[in-house]
Amino acid sequence: MKSHDAIVVGGGLVGSAVAFGLAEKGLHVAVLDEGDVAFRASRGNFGLVWVQSKGDGMQAYAEWTGRSADLWPGFADTLSGELGVDIGYRKPGGLHLCLSEKELEDRKALLHRMHNQAGEGGYDCRVLDRAEVADMVPGIGEAVVGATYGPHDGHANPLYLLRALHNGLSLRGADYRPNARVERIARDGSAYAVHTATERLVAPKVVLAAGLGSRRLGPDIGLDVPVAPLKGQILVTERCPQRFAMPTAFVRQTEEGSYLLGDSHEDVGFDVTSSVDVIGQIAARAVRSFPFLNDVRVVRGWGALRIMTPDGFPVYDESETHPGAYSVSCHSGVTLAAAHALGLAPAIADDRFRETFAAFTARRFDVSQA
Ligand SMILES: Cc1cc2nc3c(=O)[nH]c(=O)nc-3n(C[C@H](O)[C@H](O)[C@H](O)COP(=O)(O)OP(=O)(O)OC[C@H]3O[C@@H](n4cnc5c(N)ncnc54)[C@H](O)[C@@H]3O)c2cc1C
């Protein structure tokens, strides 16, 4: 039996960022990850660090996303410096292209709501007409009628991000264990015993960050983690000369030159297969946005599962019945990585989680509380 200050269940982007932050605060951390058999959104996402549309209906989430975007530049410098590899974080702003007047009107309405919701805090995003968009990104198609522009948006290489977090964990003395599926979590005096098939680890704090796997384990520590899968498919093209640095919501060019084309929202359960019809829709939208993509070869595609809560906002909880037991789930684990490491983890380490993240509790879905 080995003792740690905290055990994090799940070594994807969320668990790794939280564990990184805990280790940075000096805690001796163990990270247990199920491994390749699990559904892993962290290895199949689009890589946006996206602010402009986050938090429509929940100002606390809009502010939290903004805070993460503010923390990202320093966070990326630390991670890239430690890894010795640029994790590809760039913050040139981002565009959501609109391909019809209806889409543009819907985006305008969204921005209006976000402005009103933000109040005096302000909301930094604006509508662009077609000519302004053409000035910002070359090669837009006739179908583009306008866009919304968020100056705080950016993108990163999500696989390098994950690798850099794991590297950072190692440098901070954390104990990262792959292929360690947590079977159950039980009380052990005032601490928690986390059981895998072969081991039993004990710590006074346990953080459930197992993505879609959190739902099963939550009840062990008095937590409801209401997450469900939402499939997204993505296409990758061959590498091309650098053409534009600014990411758009559905097309972005990576540092290596490939275009990522995305991404669908499919409520189809635990299914990660690619489908020709959806791939066709993704490719068609990308070509309408940027006709030059018609001559670029797609080389790969995949499906992956988002971790969705009922309202799409994060669920952060400390158990009422099991003090020191937490859950952390969200569908924007790239965007929020900096905030998870440098904002959320310190709140766990310093025992001020409950008051800091009260707005994000899953108890908001409990109708008897309403
Ligand atoms: C198509 C798509 C596009 C996306 N685009 C973006 C984007 O542009 N920007 C953005 O910010 N976010 C994006 N996301 C969301 C982002 O990928 C996720 O929010 C993030 O990866 C979630 O990380 P996670 O660690 O919670 O989950 P996961 O990556 O699923 O990791 C969970 C981990 O828990 C482990 N696990 C599960 N059960 C157990 C168990 N019992 N014991 C031990 N370990 C366990 C698994 O092995 C896994 O490694 C996208 C997602 C998808 C699917």
Side-chain angles (χ1 to χ4, degrees), residues 102-326:
K102 164 82 172 70
E103 279 186 22
L104 190 57
E105 287 311 311
D106 288 348
R107 290 300 289 182
K108 283 180 184 169
L110 168 77
L111 260 58
H112 190 65
R113 288 196 301 275
M114 300 283 285
H115 273 288
N116 288 349
Q117 177 183 283
E120 286 180 4
Y123 169 65
D124 207 3
C125 180
R126 62 195 171 92
V127 177
L128 304 181
D129 63 24
R130 183 185 154 75
E132 290 172 296
V133 179
D135 277 347
M136 276 187 177
V137 280
I140 60 167
E142 289 300 320
V144 178
V145 297
T148 53
Y149 166 70
H152 304 292
D153 295 331
H155 55 158
N157 181 321
L159 296 179
Y160 280 151
L161 167 62
L162 189 59
R163 195 174 132 202
L165 287 169
H166 290 176
N167 177 63
L169 286 172
S170 162
L171 291 176
R172 287 163 182 76
D175 188 4
Y176 181 86
R177 300 179 184 209
N179 304 314
R181 180 178 201 264
V182 172
E183 306 288 351
R184 66 189 177 89
I185 307 171
R187 275 191 203 270
D188 182 334
S190 58
Y192 297 99
V194 178
H195 296 258
T196 69
T198 55
E199 274 190 308
R200 177 178 179 276
L201 273 67
V202 175
K205 290 183 175 168
V206 59
V207 182
L208 201 46
L212 293 166
S214 291
R215 186 170 197 134
R216 180 181 67 83
L217 291 167
D220 286 4
I221 43 177
L223 287 169
D224 177 29
V225 188
V227 290
L230 186 70
K231 181 163 92 170
Q233 296 186 50
I234 292 176
L235 302 177
V236 186
T237 72
E238 63 185 321
R239 293 184 178 186
C240 304
Q242 283 298 334
R243 186 153 182 162
F244 55 80
M246 186 174 291
T248 77
F250 301 110
V251 178
R252 74 178 186 92
Q253 190 171 21
T254 66
E255 284 291 299
E256 294 77 21
S258 303
Y259 289 97
L260 288 194
L261 318 179
D263 49 351
S264 58
H265 291 72
E266 302 165 67
D267 189 0
V268 291
F270 288 86
D271 166 16
V272 289
T273 54
S274 298
S275 54
V276 174
D277 56 334
V278 174
I279 287 174
Q281 288 162 21
I282 291 172
R285 184 174 178 104
V287 169
R288 287 178 74 213
S289 303
F290 298 103
F292 67 84
L293 287 173
N294 202 34
D295 300 322
V296 176
R297 275 181 305 175
V298 169
V299 294
R300 206 153 63 87
W302 65 78
L305 300 180
R306 295 183 186 81
I307 295 132
M308 292 303 290
T309 62
D311 59 7
F313 304 136
V315 164
Y316 303 147
D317 255 329
E318 178 175 0
S319 173
E320 289 189 333
T321 54
H322 296 62
Y326 307 85

Side-chain angles (χ1 to χ4, degrees), residues 10-12 32-40 43 176-182:
L32 304 178
D33 189 74
E34 182 173 6
D36 282 341
V37 291
F39 292 104
R40 302 162 110 186
R43 294 168 196 265
Y176 181 86
R177 300 179 184 209
N179 304 314
R181 180 178 201 264
V182 172

